[in-house]
Amino acid sequence: MKCILCGWTKKGPSQFFMCDDCRKFSQIVNMVWSDVNKKFENLDTIDPTVDPIFRLLSDSVFITSHNPQVSIFYKMCTIFVESVLKSITTITEEELNRKLRSTRPLTDALKVFEELGLITVKLDKYQRIIVINEKVKKIARSIQIDTLDEQVTKRISQIFAGYVMLYLLRKMASVRNIEEVYELPYKQRFRTLWTILMFLWSKAFEGDDNFQEIELTKFLGRRRISTASVIHSLINIDPRKLTGMLKDVQIRNDDRVFYFADYILREMERIREVERERMGTRG
């Protein structure tokens, strides 16, 4: 049997099933989505220094940014943010294709951005025109800048990309059978994105302040995903400069131990509390 979301296989009577890890992670994704989407809809500005949940999304994007399954979405985020920061609010399909340098068709990706209310796609004669909506402008306005530089653009783009990434995770979380996989964007599972964040977010959500490299290796290995690029991103290329998700890395019994940044544990506890209150109100 093969898990329809993460690809983990085990012996059993059916061809497909959903593993317990994916069931639990689906619940976490839906909790985070409910919290984040409400803020995107209602807040005037999106600021990771005020709302650390946006920092979690940004840091998660950094770790998964080299995944080819989601790269077109992340690249689009950067292009749209760069345009807004230059006071450009429309872009033609031809211009977007030229900037993306991607061989993948744009339709499925554009549909995701439209569903989120981030863009509006209009037809002008023989090509599509992408109109960047207020939601994107709000993100760009969230950081006060005097000069436009690469780091500022990257920071804002990652917050934006985090929202899109979370939406893709939410779509994955709604899948209940193999047929529904073909209803996902590009008719594919975002398996690597899902599995990496399933390990990291689930650990933090359960209150674990650290994890061992061997744990991560076994978890991903069972799903035939290499840990090399993940570890590379976690330690941010230079082992002396950890990515934002981590505050420390130590050696214990010849194995590396990674310690989550404090803000992640606080945010996951806050998400759990929000969910407990919601369930209490419903009861």
Side-chain angles (χ1 to χ4, degrees):
M1 297 194 301
K2 177 182 287 189
C3 177
I4 59 175
L5 294 182
C6 71
W8 181 43
T9 58
K10 69 174 184 178
K11 293 181 179 180
S14 304
Q15 185 178 3
F16 299 104
F17 78 114
M18 185 181 295
C19 71
D20 289 340
D21 289 330
C22 284
R23 288 186 187 279
K24 293 175 183 177
F25 185 54
S26 293
Q27 294 175 351
I28 295 171
V29 167
N30 286 329
M31 292 178 207
V32 176
W33 167 260
S34 177
D35 183 74
V36 169
N37 190 51
K38 187 181 298 183
K39 290 176 178 177
F40 263 85
E41 294 290 348
N42 298 325
L43 294 179
D44 292 329
T45 60
I46 304 299
D47 188 346
T49 62
V50 176
D51 288 285
I53 194 68
F54 299 122
R55 181 181 168 191
L56 173 62
L57 296 183
S58 177
D59 287 338
S60 297
V61 164
F62 180 83
I63 291 172
T64 59
S65 60
H66 299 297
N67 182 345
Q69 288 184 317
V70 294
S71 62
I72 189 170
F73 298 97
Y74 292 175
K75 287 178 182 177
M76 277 190 179
C77 290
T78 300
I79 292 168
F80 294 152
V81 167
E82 285 178 345
S83 297
V84 167
L85 290 174
K86 295 175 182 177
S87 300
I88 299 170
T89 56
T90 61
I91 182 171
T92 67
E93 183 177 6
E94 182 182 356
E95 290 171 327
L96 184 58
N97 262 317
R98 189 169 60 249
K99 290 175 182 290
L100 283 172
R101 298 179 182 177
S102 174
T103 57
R104 302 185 78 180
L106 302 184
T107 301
D108 281 23
L110 290 174
K111 183 180 178 183
V112 166
F113 284 81
E114 275 202 292
E115 288 173 349
L116 284 167
L118 299 169
I119 63 169
T120 301
V121 179
K122 297 182 177 181
L123 188 62
D124 180 32
K125 293 185 179 179
Y126 305 108
Q127 67 174 334
R128 288 179 290 191
I129 304 295
I130 294 91
V131 180
I132 304 172
N133 291 344
E134 180 62 27
K135 262 189 178 180
V136 184
K137 300 173 188 176
K138 179 167 63 175
I139 299 170
R141 287 197 302 265
S142 66
I143 299 176
Q144 298 297 320
I145 55 174
D146 296 320
T147 57
L148 182 61
D149 61 48
E150 184 178 349
Q151 288 304 312
V152 168
T153 302
K154 183 176 181 181
R155 181 182 176 189
I156 301 173
S157 297
Q158 283 186 331
I159 298 171
F160 182 19
Y163 186 45
V164 176
M165 173 203 73
L166 183 58
Y167 186 66
L168 296 177
L169 292 177
R170 181 173 177 257
K171 280 185 168 290
M172 285 276 289
S174 69
V175 170
R176 290 296 176 268
N177 55 64
I178 192 63
E179 288 76 19
E180 291 180 356
V181 169
Y182 300 104
E183 297 175 10
L184 294 171
Y186 295 104
K187 296 179 173 58
Q188 66 175 12
R189 297 168 297 167
F190 301 97
R191 194 171 69 88
T192 302
L193 170 73
W194 175 269
T195 305
I196 291 172
L197 294 183
M198 176 162 63
F199 178 86
L200 295 172
W201 286 16
S202 296
K203 276 284 185 182
F205 188 83
E206 291 165 3
D208 294 334
D209 68 347
N210 70 82
F211 61 91
Q212 293 178 261
E213 184 172 347
I214 192 170
E215 291 180 272
L216 177 61
T217 300
K218 288 180 178 178
F219 188 89
L220 297 183
R222 283 198 297 266
R223 294 155 174 90
R224 300 180 181 180
I225 296 174
S226 170
T227 60
S229 62
V230 184
I231 298 297
H232 186 71
S233 297
L234 279 171
I235 60 177
N236 200 14
I237 303 175
D238 184 343
R240 296 168 298 177
K241 299 178 181 178
L242 300 176
T243 184
M245 289 193 78
L246 302 175
K247 68 175 182 180
D248 195 16
V249 57
Q250 299 178 7
I251 302 296
R252 182 196 303 163
N253 298 327
D254 297 324
D255 189 26
R256 280 189 288 195
V257 180
F258 299 93
Y259 290 83
F260 286 115
D262 294 336
Y263 88 88
I264 293 179
L265 300 173
R266 288 195 299 267
E267 279 303 291
M268 287 303 186
E269 171 57 32
R270 183 183 65 80
I271 293 293
R272 288 198 301 271
E273 182 60 31
V274 168
E275 182 64 11
R276 283 194 292 266
E277 291 177 358
R278 187 182 72 83
M279 295 302 292
T281 301
R282 177 180 293 182

